Amino acid sequence: MSIFSLFCCLRNSHHESHSNGTAGGSSKAAGAEPYSEARARQLFKTYEDPDTPGEIGPEGFEKLCTDLDISLEGALPLVLAWQLNGSEMAKFKLDEWMKGTGELRVSNLQALSLAIRDLEDLLLLDKPPIQPSSGAGALVKKKGIQQSDTTEPYNRRRYYQYAADKEKAFSDLYAFCFNLAKPATGRNIDMDTASAFWSVLVVPKYPIMNDILKFIAEKGTYKGVNKDLWNMTLEFCRAMQADLSNYEADGAWPTMLDDFVEWKKSSGTTEEQEIDIA
């Protein structure tokens, strides 16, 4: 199952939305205007579920991604949720939105899109970080109100913290995604959801994840992922050589990963194979 399929399932299970499509376009054209709490609140209302005040639902989330030019097929919807403190898949509550946009100092689509794209470059594509200008990322006070440094299109203070330790920042995003996908009353996420997340988050950075996903699909016996398996899968991908030559049987890896190594070695190939999670 792809990320897009997950969002479509959420949207189709939700009641119909009637959000206004024109306001989003006008916000996109607003340009690099200074942050305004009132404009951030109005932008939220553009995508708000008319039947659930104070919440952007799956259809509003999909429209927001469309207006931000974010594909639902990749990891960027997850980065968006991370940066705006989303607590449920494809949803934002008003307080989450206001906190997230306030921390980033963004109140229009252009600035929000730039913030998400900067993190895509930094954490997913491993491009060199943006270098701060003098005083960039700082918050200054004007008439008792905190405002972001006007030399930056948004408040990049958090971005520069991520850039200082990219591995930790990616780990934070990865951990957030487990909690995002986990049912509120559950402890595990189902394997289809985990595989969809792994395919967009981990495969681009660690190609060995392709083989793990192929193994999972072929076996078809793994139904859920707990927090330990989720975390250890990333650590495994970071630690292992492509040919698994540094794997140690007593390395205390979860059983699924030990089974993967046995499967991989018995197949007699160490080639990385592209797969499509349907």
Side-chain angles (χ1 to χ4, degrees):
M1 180 180 288
S2 68
I3 290 289
F4 178 76
S5 298
L6 287 173
F7 287 133
C8 284
C9 289
L10 288 168
R11 181 195 62 194
N12 293 336
S13 66
H14 197 71
H15 48 71
E16 286 197 9
S17 171
H18 305 285
S19 60
N20 183 341
T22 58
S26 63
S27 295
K28 183 180 287 188
E33 61 191 12
Y35 168 77
S36 161
E37 183 176 311
R39 281 194 293 270
R41 190 177 299 271
Q42 185 58 43
L43 186 60
F44 178 90
K45 289 186 176 295
T46 302
Y47 305 99
E48 187 177 31
D49 188 327
D51 298 325
T52 312
E55 180 178 290
I56 293 174
E59 290 198 7
F61 184 89
E62 182 178 357
K63 184 182 186 308
L64 172 63
C65 287
T66 298
D67 289 348
L68 289 169
D69 196 24
I70 286 177
S71 170
L72 294 177
E73 294 283 2
L76 291 190
L78 305 178
V79 176
L80 174 64
W82 178 43
Q83 289 300 290
L84 296 187
N85 308 295
S87 58
E88 295 183 67
M89 282 275 288
K91 292 183 180 181
F92 289 121
K93 295 181 175 63
L94 178 59
D95 60 336
E96 295 168 350
W97 175 275
M98 295 306 296
K99 182 176 185 290
T101 55
E103 289 172 346
L104 289 172
R105 315 302 284 176
V106 296
S107 52
N108 64 76
L109 292 178
Q110 184 180 26
L112 179 56
S113 178
L114 179 61
I116 301 306
R117 296 290 181 184
D118 283 350
L119 289 179
E120 177 186 30
D121 289 346
L122 181 72
L123 301 180
L124 303 178
L125 302 180
D126 286 324
K127 293 184 178 180
I130 299 167
Q131 296 302 311
S133 57
S134 177
L139 288 178
V140 297
K141 281 197 171 183
K142 183 178 181 181
K143 296 182 180 179
I145 301 174
Q146 281 193 327
Q147 296 182 329
S148 55
D149 179 21
T150 55
T151 64
E152 298 277 31
Y154 65 91
N155 181 23
R156 283 196 174 115
R157 181 171 56 176
R158 191 161 58 188
Y159 172 93
Y160 296 128
Q161 292 172 347
Y162 296 151
D165 191 341
K166 292 170 63 173
E167 184 169 307
K168 179 182 181 301
F170 184 82
S171 295
D172 289 347
L173 167 61
Y174 184 79
F176 167 85
C177 287
F178 179 83
N179 292 322
L180 183 70
K182 183 177 65 66
T185 58
R187 301 180 63 180
N188 301 338
I189 59 178
D190 65 83
M191 186 56 75
D192 283 345
T193 300
S195 295
F197 277 39
W198 280 329
S199 70
V200 298
L201 285 170
V202 183
V203 167
K205 294 176 70 69
Y206 306 104
I208 194 174
M209 191 73 225
N210 263 320
D211 291 333
I212 297 174
L213 290 174
K214 185 175 186 296
F215 161 74
I216 290 170
E218 182 176 304
K219 290 296 182 181
T221 56
Y222 302 103
K223 304 301 182 184
V225 176
N226 60 24
K227 188 174 183 179
D228 180 65
L229 177 56
W230 179 261
N231 290 336
M232 293 299 287
T233 297
L234 177 60
E235 292 307 310
F236 182 89
C237 291
R238 282 172 165 168
M240 288 300 114
Q241 301 291 335
D243 61 0
L244 301 176
S245 58
N246 60 333
Y247 167 78
E248 297 180 1
D250 59 353
W253 296 108
T255 300
M256 188 191 81
L257 297 175
D258 288 331
D259 291 347
F260 160 71
V261 173
E262 183 178 350
W263 170 87
K264 179 73 171 172
K265 290 185 174 180
S266 66
S267 70
T269 176
T270 58
E271 293 179 3
E272 295 161 358
Q273 303 177 46
E274 294 289 334
I275 69 166
D276 180 28
I277 302 299

